[in-house]
Amino acid sequence: MTDLTNIEERHACPDPSRMKLHWSPRSPFVRKVMIAAHELGLADRIHTVRTVVRLGKPNDDLLPDNPLSKIPTLVLDDGSALFDSLTIVEYLDDLAGGRLFPPKPARFEALTRHALGTGLLDLLILFRNERDKPAERQTAEWLESFAAKTRASLDRLESEAPSLSAKPFDIGHIAIGCALSYLDFRFADLDWRAGHPAIAGWHAEFSARPSVRATEAVDD
């Protein structure tokens, strides 16, 4: 899933050597891509296009590039498009010579951490959509399930914080960091740091990275 938000503006990419990214400053999935781009030294080659997507209405301008009408979508120099944040990050990593996807067997550990972070983001977006409904339309069982899965994910991350700190920065760190940052952005009331000092400490280190500071979420 992506941040569910018509293209407010559509810019022609002035430099044909640059890639075009359908982008939103609110999307944690787009943020994964932009953190990776900064880490890999490729941010200046990405031309961002402010793109709004909504669950109930496909974006007609985005559909030619991504029939799923989701962001992030990366359009390459030849007009072909890549979508899904993991696919885009892996493409950028390959372009930069490979840094964020370690070789086997560490690769599978990194991809599992990525799955945990991205799965938590998927969960949180569903959680937020349900919480934003009028009270009479909310489903209590769903809210309880979302809350329980969020707590369980945080407990797992708390136990894995020492391992995260010990390993080189990779795609798994990006996904987990973006998920925790999304909790700050949309779920401040949950006070996720309470009872999770180890992963809170790791997140403070993550948040201090220049790539993370350069891509902070904005509710525009």
Side-chain angles (χ1 to χ4, degrees):
M1 295 182 62
T2 64
D3 178 358
L4 297 175
T5 46
N6 309 326
I7 298 178
E8 293 177 345
E9 54 187 25
R10 190 177 184 91
H11 305 285
C13 194
D15 182 350
S17 70
R18 295 170 71 193
M19 298 165 279
K20 179 178 72 175
L21 181 70
H22 290 287
W23 168 95
S24 165
R26 298 179 294 192
S27 167
F29 300 95
V30 169
R31 191 179 189 193
K32 283 169 55 184
V33 169
M34 292 308 301
I35 288 174
H38 280 277
E39 292 283 341
L40 297 168
L42 296 174
D44 290 343
R45 289 191 56 186
I46 295 177
H47 174 73
T48 58
V49 179
R50 180 66 175 91
T51 304
V52 180
V53 296
R54 296 187 175 91
L55 180 61
K57 188 179 186 302
N59 184 326
D60 291 338
D61 290 323
L62 177 58
L63 288 174
D65 290 331
N66 185 338
L68 301 174
S69 188
K70 289 185 175 184
I71 55 174
T73 296
L74 184 71
V75 182
L76 306 182
D77 299 346
D78 63 1
S80 61
L82 303 175
F83 32 89
D84 180 84
S85 58
L86 180 61
T87 301
I88 295 171
V89 172
E90 187 161 9
Y91 173 80
L92 296 177
D93 192 62
D94 182 72
L95 199 63
R99 284 174 46 195
L100 299 177
F101 293 81
K104 296 183 287 188
R107 178 182 178 89
F108 298 115
E109 296 177 7
L111 289 173
T112 298
R113 290 193 297 271
H114 173 270
L116 177 56
T118 299
L120 178 54
L121 278 173
D122 287 339
L123 166 67
L124 290 173
I125 288 174
L126 291 171
F127 196 176
R128 178 173 179 249
N129 288 344
E130 190 65 20
R131 295 206 315 177
D132 285 351
K133 292 178 182 178
E136 66 275 10
R137 292 178 53 201
Q138 294 177 7
T139 302
E141 291 84 358
W142 291 6
L143 291 171
E144 291 169 4
S145 177
F146 294 148
K149 292 175 182 179
T150 300
R151 289 192 299 268
S153 297
L154 288 168
D155 290 345
R156 172 65 66 87
L157 290 172
E158 179 69 9
S159 69
E160 295 190 3
S163 177
L164 281 172
S165 296
K167 294 181 181 299
F169 193 79
D170 61 29
I171 184 60
H173 295 79
I174 293 175
I176 289 169
C178 285
L180 295 174
S181 295
Y182 191 74
L183 279 167
D184 287 334
F185 186 48
R186 295 301 194 194
F187 292 86
D189 59 298
L190 295 186
D191 190 20
W192 68 266
R193 290 175 177 81
H196 303 97
I199 196 62
W202 175 85
H203 183 255
E205 296 175 0
F206 169 84
S207 299
R209 296 180 74 92
S211 62
V212 178
R213 297 180 66 181
T215 57
E216 290 185 3
V218 177
D219 201 1
D220 64 342

